[in-house]
């Protein structure tokens, strides 16, 4: 890795997004307690009655890992801003799909268990979406700055 890439603010935002997605993969999205039983939704499964239900909840983990992979690819392409911008925009779409899955699953579970609360992973995914969006914004600003300076020559 080149030290110059860490001097750009978008690389820092992308690194924060990657860390947030890693944390979101290991933390619960939603929790409820029904008597003695604890029901937990993670990106990989729903734990209910000591049973792990993977389908359809694992879709959240698949999309999160795809977003994490795209974040790392975006960081690695610091030398080509146009490719970096396209990867960042596609990653925003993927991360928005992750948020959509989380919202759908949590709303379904809240209908069944009204005394539940959201886990911390949901907020980390939201933070990753915001950081990725900010990174794309700063990449676009850098590209505009370079194009404007080329026009002046």
């Amino acid at each position: 890795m080149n030290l110059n890439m860490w001097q750009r603010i978008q690389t820092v935002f992308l690194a924060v997004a990657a860390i947030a997605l890693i944390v979101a993969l290991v933390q619960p999205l939603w929790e409820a307690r029904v008597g003695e039983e604890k029901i937990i939704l993670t990106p990989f499964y729903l734990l209910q009655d000591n049973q792990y239900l993977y389908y359809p909840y694992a879709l959240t983990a698949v999309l999160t890992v795809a977003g994490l992979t795209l974040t790392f690819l975006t960081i690695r392409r610091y030398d080509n801003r146009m490719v970096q911008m396209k990867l960042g925009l596609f990653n925003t779409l993927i991360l928005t799909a992750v948020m959509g899955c989380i919202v759908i699953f949590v709303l379904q579970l809240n209908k069944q268990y009204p005394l539940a609360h959201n886990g911390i992973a949901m907020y980390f995914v939201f933070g990753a979406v915001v950081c990725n969006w900010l990174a794309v914004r700063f990449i676009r600003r850098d590209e505009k700055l370079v194009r404007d300076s080329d026009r002046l020559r």
Side-chain angles (χ1 to χ4, degrees):
M1 284 195 189
N2 192 347
L3 189 59
N4 291 335
M5 73 179 207
W6 290 105
Q7 294 175 349
R8 299 170 60 205
I9 189 70
Q10 56 264 35
T11 306
V12 175
F13 280 127
L14 289 169
V16 170
I19 291 168
L21 289 173
I22 291 169
V23 171
L25 278 172
V26 297
Q27 294 295 320
L29 295 168
W30 177 88
E31 294 177 312
R33 184 171 291 278
V34 179
E36 296 280 326
E37 180 187 9
K38 190 170 186 180
I39 303 166
I40 300 172
L41 174 66
T42 69
F44 294 97
Y45 57 82
L46 175 70
L47 176 62
Q48 182 178 14
D49 297 328
N50 291 327
Q51 281 188 310
Y52 293 93
L53 302 171
Y54 294 99
Y55 180 79
Y57 305 106
L59 177 64
T60 307
V62 170
L63 289 172
T64 304
V65 170
L68 184 60
T69 304
L70 279 172
T71 302
F72 285 129
L73 287 173
T74 307
I75 290 172
R76 297 282 302 168
R77 295 305 309 233
Y78 66 92
D79 55 339
N80 190 338
R81 283 179 300 279
M82 289 306 290
V83 171
Q84 198 177 32
M85 195 177 347
K86 290 175 186 175
L87 284 171
L89 290 172
F90 183 57
N91 197 17
T92 300
L93 180 68
I94 296 292
L95 294 177
T96 304
V98 172
M99 284 297 299
C101 284
I102 291 171
V103 168
I104 290 169
F105 294 146
V106 166
L107 287 177
Q108 287 176 349
L109 291 170
N110 278 339
K111 287 180 186 176
Q112 294 175 350
Y113 307 102
L115 297 176
H117 64 279
N118 296 333
I120 194 164
M122 181 183 293
Y123 304 109
F124 277 100
V125 172
F126 179 74
V129 170
V130 170
C131 286
N132 188 68
W133 178 79
L134 285 171
V136 170
R137 186 169 179 251
F138 281 105
I139 294 166
R140 187 176 294 138
R141 188 188 72 175
D142 278 359
E143 182 63 23
K144 185 179 182 302
L145 185 68
V146 168
R147 286 182 189 225
D148 289 346
S149 68
D150 284 345
R151 205 174 338 176
L152 291 175
R153 288 188 211 180

